[in-house]
Amino acid sequence: MNSLVKEASRAGESVGLTVDRLAIDGGIPLKGRIEVRGAKNLVTKAMVASLLGETPSLLRSVPDISDVRVVRGLLEVHGVTVTEGAEPGDLILDPTNVRSAHMADIDAHAGSSRIPILFCGPLLHQLGEAFIPDLGGCRIGDRPIDFHLDALRRFGAVVDKLPSGIRITAPHGLRGAHIELPYPSVGATEQVLLTATRAKGITELRNAAIEPEIMDLIAILQKMGAIISVEPNRVILIEGVDKLDGYTHRAIFDRNEAASWASAALATGGDVFVGGAKQEHMMTFLNIFRKVGGKFDIYDDGIRFYHPGTPLKPVVVETDVHPGFMTDWQQPLIVALTQAEGASIVHETVYENRFGFTDALIEMGADITVHKTGLVGTARRVPRRDLEQAAVVVGPTPLHGADIVVPDLRGGFSHLIAALTAEGRSTVSNVGIISRGYENFLAKLEALGARFTVEG
Ligand code: EPZ
């Protein structure tokens, strides 16, 4: 085991937070067991939800990833006390001294996260105002926040554009609203949930996102005292209440991380047990995994994903909102598709620039063609901006080592998988981004038999 990884693992530190470059010797099947904890895309929002409570909250199974550290910093600049609880992964969040924060402090802590936009509703309820810096996040499209701001205005908020961000106030308080989202946006749905729970009156949200992480956030809000009902056809009704209390909640597992390790097992011809993974939230992924030729066994404490030794098969996949195939799953899967016998098509319909990571795979020998406006003749699922893109992946193509730079979180993990799949040595730089969403990923790679050295 790398001394740095060994030392840090002993200290329980997430080594990935500080590492920049790895040298990876590929061609070795990943085999062994790793554990996934709380979902990055739930725990960060659950931490923000604690702001709405009059008493402290306890969030369990929180992974040590940089996105969590960013939100912890943002909560602390707003006067929230965040401390570790009794069990590993427990966070105690005490909002009783919440206060306004200066934009510069918020900006300094926001990093590349998009989470600050979700502070609006809770801060408007608690303090009557919120400051949000211009947002970061992976460069996978222009990532607008128009749905969020339109929703806040419908609750009665006033949005003022400042040179370095936005200032939001609620001069007459926040009232329940009728909101229909142009697209089932995860973030905008969370924005409405976090604002409506304490608004006066009833909110009806139409065309809402219903991802498992959204349902887990609704469960948290219900524990706090909120009255939320999920109706048929993506309609959510929220009856505003005057007061909410803190919650105790164990976060849903990270489906994206589980799918990433599953794709790594397939691409490297390996056999990986992902502890904590649950079938009910991965059904669509499991169907595609099986159609590509992978095998999986479901256990009470996790899922075993493995390559059965027979040739992988090409598939046609369209990313979609839940319960469709998640956009965050296509990057790791595409690496496995480079080893399938035939031509696969991946339609990306959620973001307008989410195939950038394929450049590095092509450099390593993959045969991938990205069609920036999708494939001619295919119906567009969502009549929005000219959004859909398509990647045609023809395999099998042996991958050879290369020097690659990680572009974003999910694409970055795909680069790791590609380097582990390729024959020979690769260097992967800028890997620190991966620690935004993958807890202790170096220790996990070690546990699965990957051969790599930390280069800086
Ligand atoms: C969340 O992003 C996740 N991030 C993303 O995961 C995930 O890919 C995405 O949902 C879709 O499932 C977090 O939860 C932190 P959206 P979010 O609002 O909320 C457009 C990862 O790797 N849109 O559902 O930002 C937007 O441009 C990340 O873990 C607007 O046009 O996603 C995109 O095309 C990557 N206006 C589409 O909607 C808005 O105001 C979906 O975005 C908001 C969104």
Side-chain angles (χ1 to χ4, degrees), residues 24 64 297 325:
I24 296 175
D64 182 13
D297 298 328
F325 190 86

Coordinates of all heavy atoms in Angstrom, one line a residue, residues 24 64 297 325:
I24 N -0.6 5.1 -12.7 CA -1.4 3.9 -12.6 C -0.9 2.8 -13.6 O -0.8 3.1 -14.8 CB -2.9 4.2 -12.9 CG1 -3.5 5.1 -11.8 CG2 -3.8 2.9 -13.0 CD1 -4.9 5.6 -12.1
D64 N -16.7 11.6 3.9 CA -15.7 12.7 4.1 C -15.3 13.1 2.7 O -14.2 12.5 2.1 CB -14.5 12.2 4.9 CG -13.5 13.4 5.1 OD1 -13.9 14.5 4.8 OD2 -12.4 13.1 5.5
D297 N -25.1 -9.8 -8.1 CA -25.8 -10.6 -7.1 C -26.2 -9.6 -6.0 O -25.4 -8.9 -5.5 CB -25.0 -11.7 -6.6 CG -24.5 -12.7 -7.6 OD1 -25.3 -12.9 -8.6 OD2 -23.4 -13.2 -7.5
F325 N -32.2 6.3 -16.8 CA -30.7 6.1 -16.6 C -30.1 7.4 -16.3 O -30.1 8.3 -17.1 CB -30.2 5.5 -17.9 CG -28.8 5.0 -17.7 CD1 -28.5 3.7 -17.3 CD2 -27.7 5.8 -18.0 CE1 -27.2 3.2 -17.1 CE2 -26.4 5.3 -17.8 CZ -26.2 4.0 -17.4

